[in-house]
Amino acid sequence: MLAFAAIATVMLIGAIGVVTLRQPVHAALSLVGTLLALAIAYVQLNAGFLAAIQVIVYAGAIMVLFLFVIMLLALDGEAPAPSLTWLRPAAWGAGALALVAVLAVLARDPIGPASPAALLEVFAGSGAEGVADQLFGPMVLSFHLVGVLLLTGIVAAVGLVQRRAGQAAEARARAGRAGADAPDAPPLPGREPVEV
Amino acid sequence: MIVPPDGLVLGGIAPALTLLVAAATALILGTVRADARQGGAVALLGLAAAAVFAVRNLVDPGAHGATFGVQWVVDGASAGLAVAILVGTFLAVLLSWDAPVARVGDRPEFHPLLLLAATGGIAMVHAGDFVVLLLGLEILSLSVYALSAWRTGVREGEEAGMKYFLLGAFASAILIYGVALTYGATGAFDFASIGAALAAGAPGPLALLGGAFVLVGLGFKVSFAPFHQWAPDVYTGAPTPVTAFMSVVVKVAAFGALLRVASEAWPATVPSLDLMLAILVALTLVVGNLGALLQSGAKRMLGYSAVAHAGYLGLAVLAAGQGLASPTTVVWYLLAYTFMNLGAFAVTHLVMHDDPQGDRIEAWQGLGARKPGLAIAMTLFLFSLAGFPPLAGFFGKALAVRAAFDAGWSSLAVLALLAAVVAVVYYTRFVFAMWFARAPRAIEVAPSDAARWAVGLAAAGTVAMGLFPDVWYALVEGAGAALALVP
């Protein structure tokens, strides 16, 4: 129980840090803290596979994606111009409403500490074997469809990016036709055609 | 040791597998030689092969039945809708065949995306649970988002893609929310178990909220009012062959999914969901038909007409969902709609040629004198959409209205009949412009024989379904549109 209290405190501090820190990178690192603490909580519940997946997928892959986006957008600590002024109070209101709802549910059906036996039963199927049984058993069709979905996303993205490349090539061809006027028209920055 | 799951029958998913193989082939060939015709040829071959499997499923659905547990259901309705999706995609590929004219096939990803979208649509109509439905919907939507923004350097195109993407992602989120709430209420993803759980006891607020969210999410895809606003804008901004594709394939797939959810997952003991669907249908009939009255461009007019037709299809789904009409009605209407709507967009594509404003009503003036063949075809499509006998659209609307009467929604049926009268006005405006107005200028249509073939095939389909309505009906009905209708 004591260990859980410590982990929960770390999670909460991390979560509060995500929404309050000014620097996007700091907020992202704060999120890593929460995700890692959550992984430890999984280990405490005897769900080792979930904990590993949590670290690899969320703390690993998704965080890298976040950092890339922050880097590409070159966000610094400046507060963005408040274009939607109603958004901030609305967000606070929605958060408060959710908190009240959770507390109301807790007040109606208080949750006592679960017995270790019940916990073990709930997490019995969460080992690698249990997940694999589900994934490659009853859900095998969905599993493959997810693969098709990812392929579709890649093909769509490549198709749209190729379009940019085509435009740049056209622009250069036009510049080439213009001939003597602009013999050394530089290619548009960042829009070089993709060699396939 | 590898143990195959119980009931693994590949025959049922053969159409989807064939399309995937064709998409992969077109992608790989596209890296070797970027040629639009090559991608188109692979796509046409793949679609034809997939159609063979789909027709086989339709003729003998019992051979496969449910496969992959209950995740993939093969019956008359799903096989018939798969045929409609394949027909629609085939005609759309013909439309985009002459890439320099269509300005869409210039990158080798175009045709693979069309094929992947069709695969997603086929997964949706065969889905036996919400997981496959959702994945199919996302595969279809992702491809169509990219395709609708395909034109280079056209602001309307990018606006269309962006608008469709943002609204579509929002609708998907609502749908997922609905699926999660439904799972919370019933503990199941597959439609049969959900239906059984809801029929067993009084559905709580959780189940109703989940059902409402699912209805909104799917209602966006089939463009029910008031979730229809994207349709006219996206139809106008997307390249015309893509518009033709999405106007039929997305609609067939989404209505197939809605039909199955309404008839299997929502038992007749939950009347509130039927009432919600009825209200949406009534709104759609009014908004679609009145909106179409005000349009002067053919693409926007057809966009609102697509909304109006969603109303008629919704009537049929409503009746079939209650088990009071045959789901074959919906399947029949959707194939008819595929032919006539795709045909109308095909002619629009030819007439617009290179001019983004070329679908305005002025551009149609005098088409009857200059290009009588195209004008006759367009007249056929528009009259069919308006519901004149003996064309396909007449039987579609008649079947839908009759289904509504049978199911006891007589006020909705009367509203649908009134709306059909209004519809005559906006369709015949274009017919009058073609035949009875003088051409202000020489009319130049796009030089594409393949697109002409698409027009011809669609016209043949529209007339044939009107003259022999019972053939397709009997085929689907005979296959036992074996939706597990909950009485």
Side-chain angles (χ1 to χ4, degrees):
Chain A
M1 199 61 206
L2 196 67
F4 175 74
I7 295 295
T9 318
V10 174
M11 269 193 261
L12 274 181
I13 293 175
I16 292 171
V18 174
V19 286
T20 51
L21 287 175
R22 287 250 160 247
Q23 284 278 355
V25 178
H26 293 172
L29 288 177
S30 179
L31 185 58
V32 174
T34 304
L35 295 174
L36 287 180
L38 188 57
I40 297 172
Y42 282 144
V43 173
Q44 281 184 325
L45 291 169
N46 215 359
F49 183 67
L50 268 189
I53 291 293
Q54 169 80 12
V55 171
I56 295 170
V57 174
Y58 282 92
I62 293 193
M63 280 320 297
V64 169
L65 209 62
F66 274 156
L67 290 179
F68 274 164
V69 170
I70 292 171
M71 203 175 73
L72 284 177
L73 293 180
L75 293 174
D76 42 21
E78 286 168 30
S83 52
L84 296 170
T85 45
W86 53 269
L87 202 59
R88 190 173 283 263
W92 277 108
L97 197 67
L99 185 65
V100 168
V102 169
L103 289 180
V105 169
L106 267 184
R108 222 183 62 170
D109 316 311
I111 302 173
S115 71
L119 274 182
L120 280 183
E121 192 189 338
V122 167
F123 282 97
S126 60
E129 206 173 317
V131 173
D133 270 350
Q134 281 293 315
L135 207 54
F136 299 107
M139 306 303 273
V140 68
L141 180 67
S142 329
F143 179 71
H144 284 99
L145 279 177
V146 169
V148 177
L149 178 60
L150 290 176
L151 173 73
T152 309
I154 295 172
V155 174
V158 170
L160 287 179
V161 172
Q162 289 259 13
R163 184 184 64 160
R164 297 264 160 71
Q167 278 172 347
E170 254 174 53
R172 224 167 324 170
R174 267 201 300 277
R177 270 201 299 280
D181 296 341
D184 296 320
L188 297 175
R191 297 227 168 157
E192 281 90 52
V194 180
E195 297 294 336
V196 180
Chain B
M1 195 182 93
I2 300 171
V3 182
D6 291 337
L8 180 69
V9 190
L10 288 184
I13 64 167
L17 284 181
T18 316
L19 286 188
L20 277 180
V21 170
T25 312
L27 267 180
I28 294 168
L29 288 179
T31 61
V32 181
R33 200 163 67 92
D35 175 17
R37 298 260 165 107
Q38 170 188 276
V42 173
L44 290 182
L45 277 179
L47 286 164
V52 172
F53 288 116
V55 169
R56 211 178 109 233
N57 280 344
L58 183 61
V59 174
D60 187 16
H64 309 306
T67 180
F68 288 101
V70 291
Q71 287 201 300
W72 190 276
V73 183
V74 182
D75 59 16
S78 59
L81 291 172
V83 170
I85 287 176
L86 293 170
V87 167
T89 315
F90 192 92
L91 294 177
V93 171
L94 278 185
L95 265 192
S96 60
W97 181 259
D98 288 298
V101 180
R103 307 182 73 182
V104 285
D106 51 344
R107 296 185 296 285
E109 289 82 15
F110 181 79
H111 289 107
L113 272 182
L114 275 185
L115 293 175
L116 285 169
T119 311
I122 287 181
M124 276 176 83
V125 299
H126 282 287
D129 71 357
F130 272 121
V131 179
V132 172
L133 191 163
L134 189 70
L135 287 170
L137 179 78
E138 287 303 311
I139 295 170
L140 173 65
S141 304
L142 262 185
S143 329
V144 177
Y145 297 149
L147 288 173
S148 55
W150 206 254
R151 275 189 301 185
T152 47
V154 181
R155 227 194 51 204
E156 288 83 6
E158 294 181 354
E159 187 195 327
M162 201 63 196
K163 192 174 261 177
Y164 193 32
F165 173 65
L166 288 177
L167 291 175
F170 194 63
S172 293
I174 292 179
L175 178 65
I176 294 170
Y177 211 152
V179 172
L181 289 177
T182 307
Y183 182 77
T186 61
F189 281 125
D190 62 303
F191 303 143
S193 306
I194 293 174
L198 288 184
L206 206 57
L208 287 182
L209 198 61
F213 277 21
V214 169
L215 185 57
V216 170
L218 287 176
F220 173 86
K221 290 292 168 195
V222 302
S223 64
F224 275 150
F227 318 114
H228 69 286
Q229 271 105 348
W230 61 273
D233 289 350
V234 177
Y235 281 20
T236 316
T240 314
V242 173
T243 311
F245 173 77
M246 66 190 283
S247 75
V248 295
V249 172
V250 175
K251 190 149 279 189
V252 172
F255 264 114
L258 188 62
L259 173 66
R260 200 164 287 279
V261 171
S263 55
E264 292 190 3
W266 296 340
T269 48
V270 193
S272 347
L273 290 173
D274 290 328
L275 186 64
M276 272 188 253
L277 180 56
I279 293 172
L280 286 185
V281 167
L283 258 180
T284 307
L285 283 169
V286 173
V287 170
N289 282 300
L290 292 186
L293 273 181
L294 307 172
Q295 307 307 325
S296 56
K299 277 173 95 175
R300 278 195 87 81
M301 186 276 284
L302 286 171
Y304 275 100
S305 127
V307 176
H309 278 270
Y312 290 97
L313 282 158
L315 269 188
V317 168
L318 183 63
Q322 291 182 306
L324 298 170
S326 168
T328 310
T329 305
V330 182
V331 181
W332 199 96
Y333 197 138
L334 280 169
L335 185 69
Y337 181 75
T338 300
F339 279 124
M340 59 197 184
N341 208 49
L342 217 148
F345 274 114
V347 179
T348 310
H349 172 56
L350 283 169
V351 169
M352 280 176 79
H353 195 12
D354 230 358
D355 177 10
Q357 299 292 324
D359 66 331
R360 300 188 65 78
I361 194 162
E362 294 83 32
W364 296 87
Q365 289 172 349
L367 192 72
R370 304 291 173 99
K371 305 277 176 194
L374 274 184
I376 289 173
M378 189 65 175
T379 310
L380 269 179
F381 297 135
L382 290 179
F383 277 175
S384 178
L385 284 166
F388 284 133
L391 296 165
F394 166 72
F395 291 102
K397 284 187 178 177
L399 283 170
V401 170
R402 202 196 63 185
F405 269 120
D406 286 349
W409 297 98
S410 33
S411 49
L412 270 184
V414 171
L415 179 67
L417 287 176
L418 288 178
V421 177
V422 176
V424 172
V425 177
Y426 55 80
Y427 291 122
T428 41
R429 267 182 70 207
F430 281 85
V431 175
F432 269 106
M434 280 191 290
W435 293 104
F436 300 115
R438 290 178 57 86
R441 58 185 170 87
I443 290 175
E444 198 182 335
V445 301
S448 168
D449 285 333
R452 272 171 230 278
W453 271 99
V455 172
L457 287 175
T462 308
V463 174
M465 283 193 74
L467 292 181
F468 310 104
D470 47 333
V471 176
W472 176 241
Y473 196 92
L475 195 59
V476 176
E477 186 80 7
L483 286 170
L485 291 173
V486 184

